[in-house]
Amino acid sequence: MTGTTSTPIRVLVWGENHHEKHHDIPRALYPETMHGTIAAGLRRLLGDAAVVETATLDDPEHGLSEERLAQTDVLFWWGHLLHDEVDDVVVERVHRHVLGGLGFVALHSAHFSRIFIRLMGTTCALRWRQAHDRELVWTVSPTHPIAAGVPQPIVIPEQEMYGEFFDVPQPDELVFVSNFSGGEVFRSGMTFFRGHGRVFYFSPGDQDYPVYHQPEIQLVLANAARWARNDRPRAAARLAMHRTGEWDVPREWDGEEQS
């Protein structure tokens, strides 16, 4: 179960932080950076129930050291152009922590992040069209915790189109489906269980549109933080099939002394 402890959710919002520094439109839309805007929305909605920090690609170890991941309950990930610049060691480290119980929320083009592909085991390819399109996000699982309080539908006036086929495994839960003016549909909100970890993919959020400023989108992300948090202690990624002494029982005495 989630949300059963009074301990604040420890959230880390990871951002590539490239567009905000090098491209005019994202810099104007997100003067506090995309990851900063996402983090601010989480702080506003979660309040004292969460401690929200940020990290970027340019930080030492990409801001994802062993110690920091061990102190994180839920990791949000936004990346786009620089997926291949994420170090192999960090990808393996995040993967291990997710299997051990770290919640992971992949946002928009993080479908092509190396960690998401590693978790899915597929290409994670999809159709896309950059055309200032309108997106309607429909809730298809209204009782799911991530959909709590979310309006039906969420209207995003301008957004990049993502369309099927989306090459991911069959999701454990389908929460949201989107449609676009060109007739395209997309599974825009899906959950996956990997080891002890909970994974949520949510597609709205292209860098050229103010999607993360929308209160409805911020609500989905706050709900996702609550859902993805695992209250159990972090488990080892590789569980032993047998621990020494676990199933050892005394042998029956056969009447002879044992050496």
Side-chain angles (χ1 to χ4, degrees):
M1 296 178 62
T2 59
T4 59
T5 177
S6 60
T7 305
I9 308 169
R10 300 169 299 179
V11 177
L12 182 60
V13 180
W14 190 91
E16 196 175 83
N17 199 32
H18 173 81
H19 293 287
E20 302 95 312
K21 293 191 297 184
H22 300 286
H23 299 150
D24 291 339
I25 294 175
R27 186 161 49 224
L29 290 174
Y30 295 101
E32 303 300 323
T33 71
M34 296 183 71
H35 55 280
T37 300
I38 293 167
L42 292 170
R43 293 187 188 104
R44 180 178 65 83
L45 289 172
L46 296 174
D48 294 339
V51 175
V52 183
E53 298 181 344
T54 63
T56 70
L57 180 69
D58 292 334
D59 294 339
E61 298 185 76
H62 310 318
L64 301 170
S65 66
E66 181 69 37
E67 294 74 19
R68 197 168 197 188
L69 288 175
Q71 296 170 5
T72 299
D73 295 315
V74 182
L75 175 62
F76 284 74
W77 191 286
W78 196 100
H80 184 209
L81 291 180
L82 305 179
H83 300 308
D84 290 342
E85 294 194 15
V86 178
D87 191 86
D88 291 347
V89 172
V90 173
V91 174
E92 291 299 318
R93 183 183 297 154
V94 174
H95 183 260
R96 172 168 48 82
H97 275 272
V98 172
L99 296 185
L102 173 68
F104 186 77
V105 180
L107 299 174
H108 193 58
S109 46
H111 70 91
F112 264 157
S113 65
R114 296 177 62 209
I115 177 57
F116 189 70
I117 290 174
R118 176 71 188 278
L119 288 165
M120 296 297 105
T122 56
T123 69
C124 299
L126 48 77
R127 297 178 64 233
W128 61 275
R129 173 164 47 81
Q130 183 67 282
H132 296 271
D133 207 337
R134 182 212 64 189
E135 179 177 359
L136 299 180
V137 183
W138 299 92
T139 300
V140 295
S141 182
T143 61
H144 197 283
I146 296 178
V150 174
Q152 174 80 309
I154 299 174
V155 180
I156 303 176
E158 287 190 317
Q159 166 70 331
E160 179 183 27
M161 187 282 290
Y162 272 12
E164 298 290 344
F165 174 62
F166 186 16
D167 185 23
V168 292
Q170 186 72 15
D172 290 293
E173 299 166 318
L174 181 61
V175 185
F176 302 109
V177 170
S178 291
N179 72 288
F180 298 83
S181 60
E184 302 91 352
V185 295
F186 190 69
R187 292 168 291 167
S188 51
M190 296 182 280
T191 73
F192 305 87
F193 297 94
R194 293 293 183 267
H196 294 271
R198 296 182 172 200
V199 177
F200 178 57
Y201 172 76
F202 190 56
S203 64
D206 183 80
Q207 69 278 354
D208 288 340
Y209 308 101
V211 176
Y212 292 122
H213 290 290
Q214 288 193 222
E216 311 95 316
I217 300 298
Q218 294 178 355
L219 176 58
V220 170
L221 301 187
N223 288 345
R226 296 187 187 98
W227 172 84
R229 189 251 192 96
N230 190 336
D231 290 337
R232 297 177 179 176
R234 192 69 51 84
R238 295 177 177 84
L239 300 179
M241 294 297 293
H242 172 70
R243 296 182 179 90
T244 302
E246 186 174 29
W247 297 107
D248 292 348
V249 294
R251 294 173 56 188
E252 290 188 10
W253 183 56
D254 57 6
E256 297 182 3
E257 293 293 332
Q258 301 295 320
S259 57

